[in-house]
Amino acid sequence: MAVLEKTFSIYRSSAGSGKTRTLAKEYLKLALQYKADYFKYILAVTFTNKATQEMKDRILAYLDDFSKGRENDLTKELQEELGLDANTFQQNAQSTQSDILHRYDQFSISTIDAFFQKVIRSFTREAGLVGDYRLEVEHEPVFEEVIDNLIGELGTNEDLTKWVVEFANENLENERAWDIRSSLIKFSEEIFKEEFKEIESEVNKSTGQKDFFKNLLADLKKKKNDFTNLVKAKSVEAIEIFHQHGLRSDDFKYAGGVYNFFKKFNKISSVKEFDETAKGKRSESEFQNPNNWPDKDTPHKAIIIKLANEKLIGMLNEILEYRGKNYRQALSAEVALNNFYSFGLIADISRKLKDYKDENGIMLLADAPRFLNGVIQDSDTPFIYEKVGSFYRNYLIDEFQDTSGLQWANFFPLLTNGLDQGYPSMVVGDVKQAVYRWRGGDLNLLQQKVESTIGVGRVATKELKQNFRSASEIVTFNNALFQASSTIVALETGKNITSEAYHDVPQLISRKETGFVQVSFLQEGDGENWKDLALDQIPIHLEKLQLLGASLKDIAILVRTNYEGQRIVAHLMNYRNSEKANPNCKYDVVSNESLRLDGAT
């Protein structure tokens, strides 16, 4: 096979830009270019079973059209790129379709979890995972048993009891679910985040030491208290000196200036109170000159300058120097203290989970990326892939913005092995969605790291600019909103990562429908809540749309939480039965809440 100039493609795509079509096209381009059974050397990876099935259905639908001579949106495009005449193209499609249908088990389009599961199962003996070992795909049932075992220790494990009580109290304070068991199961999801996976073994080792939490707690409190005590002591001493000489805030320049500086910290109880804004610029500039201390109208100008020269500027600088050396460490200690129960609780859950897995001889599928990464380490062609992975030549990865650092590290040896032999591969994703960190996605991975890791010389970055999903006004609105927002965020943060990630946000319009966008900003008044104001606006908008000819089936109300949805349904039901309702309009909502018997009238 001839080596391509750039064998690795990165497709940057926004919503509605045809990602599935692009993946299907690249798959078919590879499958139809060579002999009929080449499809078995291609691995396409998605993140959900639904996306996997959609991809398979799309490819088979295209092949069915090609093999029967029916034109579709890819026919001419593929023929030209493959350099095939119509007859040869149709024959290749017929052969490939037949081979896929007869060897469907080799039609390798799967989720990333299913692929890792297949890899692990292929080398259980070499990894020492033998005997009664099993790979658990679903972790929820496991966690239910782990949490039950954890709750069983309450009362006998003093530290654990304390963590759970604090956890329950925080739930009550924040009006979360009172059921501590379900809350703990949900909280346990933190264990599967890569940030924790990277330190899990170290956490288990450290927290298993005798008196670890007792010693850590004492050390953190000391770091925090040393900081606040010194700042407070120096500030109290300075204020006492001011009072001894009858000095008040209005005796000082800048509306209290240096007097207010010391006054602010003579009752400091939190390290965070002494942040960058609290430190101020004048304390390191104007206040270093005693002549800038007294107010021009004060009768105590001479004594203030004398006190500043002899002692107070030295005390001020002592505070500033101490802050410069110790603020970051003290603030870290304070943050750790505020989350100490969370750390203790997650450490205990991790311990109980490890015990459960050891006792029952299981591995969770969620552990697979870390496990594989530990086996692979720095090997370019790890032996574990020889049974399953090295069989593939081309890799097509969908929704790459949701790929985590560990998953990428595990795929990298496979990709480079294929690229080194001249076999092309590709990823497609929307870097903007990586900010949500779904499934541990890393914005920098798609934005920068992949290109630098693969090598700039063999990476081609392509942008899918067309929007095939939305009406023109929707596309225009999104273009304007995100371009402006990314620029503002970049200016506010002083970092270009936002503007770089959003540089491909402008999309071209494909659909002829015009569409409509309206944004309303609600102004709260005395005793008014924006949520109540929003509820009042919903029936008004429903009426307006219906009077313009819109059907209820064409209207959707999107909310962030189920609770918000329940409030909207209840409000519309009440409104429907009130005098405000328009007799020419409907207010029926299809939702779980609207079908409840207690919501019937």
Side-chain angles (χ1 to χ4, degrees), residues 65-131:
D65 285 344
F66 298 157
S67 63
K68 293 177 180 176
R70 293 195 296 258
E71 289 275 333
N72 59 44
D73 60 309
L74 275 184
T75 306
K76 291 183 179 179
E77 197 174 334
L78 277 175
Q79 282 182 24
E80 289 177 6
E81 293 186 21
L82 292 172
L84 301 175
D85 59 65
N87 287 334
T88 305
F89 181 76
Q90 184 176 0
Q91 289 172 9
N92 286 6
Q94 290 171 346
S95 299
T96 300
Q97 181 188 40
S98 177
D99 264 34
I100 288 177
L101 294 177
H102 284 89
R103 289 187 281 179
Y104 197 78
D105 61 318
Q106 294 179 330
F107 189 25
S108 299
I109 299 177
S110 72
T111 64
I112 195 167
D113 285 338
F115 175 69
F116 285 149
Q117 181 180 358
K118 183 178 179 182
V119 172
I120 289 177
R121 289 192 184 281
S122 71
F123 79 112
T124 53
R125 183 173 299 279
E126 292 88 340
L129 303 173
V130 292

Side-chain angles (χ1 to χ4, degrees), residues 419-561:
L419 294 172
D420 290 344
Q421 298 177 63
Y423 297 117
S425 291
M426 62 163 283
V427 299
V428 57
D430 183 0
V431 67
K432 299 180 290 301
Q433 292 186 35
V435 298
Y436 300 110
R437 299 304 305 271
W438 289 323
R439 309 184 192 96
D442 181 358
L443 182 146
N444 289 300
L445 194 60
L446 185 57
Q447 182 69 23
Q448 299 166 339
K449 292 180 183 177
V450 171
E451 186 172 356
S452 61
T453 307
I454 294 291
V456 178
R458 56 181 179 181
V459 173
T461 301
K462 307 170 185 179
E463 295 180 2
L464 302 178
K465 303 291 289 184
Q466 210 79 12
N467 187 303
F468 299 97
R469 182 183 300 165
S470 302
S472 59
E473 269 71 13
I474 309 294
V475 177
T476 303
F477 172 76
N478 282 339
N479 289 349
L481 175 67
F482 287 105
Q483 279 184 291
S485 300
S486 61
T487 302
I488 292 170
V489 171
L491 289 172
E492 289 289 329
T493 60
K495 297 180 179 179
N496 292 326
I497 186 68
T498 310
S499 55
E500 290 172 359
Y502 281 78
H503 85 268
D504 62 341
V505 73
Q507 291 183 295
L508 302 176
I509 298 166
S510 295
R511 296 181 62 175
K512 296 180 180 179
E513 295 92 336
T514 54
F516 177 72
V517 176
Q518 177 181 328
V519 178
S520 300
F521 295 93
L522 302 176
Q523 183 66 46
E524 293 182 341
D526 294 336
E528 292 180 315
N529 180 281
W530 70 267
K531 292 184 178 180
D532 294 329
L533 294 173
L535 283 174
D536 292 337
Q537 290 295 313
I538 289 174
I540 295 173
H541 282 292
L542 282 179
E543 291 170 352
K544 182 179 178 180
L545 290 170
Q546 290 180 78
L547 294 174
L548 288 171
S551 301
L552 285 183
K553 66 183 180 63
D554 296 324
I555 302 171
I557 299 173
L558 303 181
V559 294
R560 287 187 176 274
T561 65

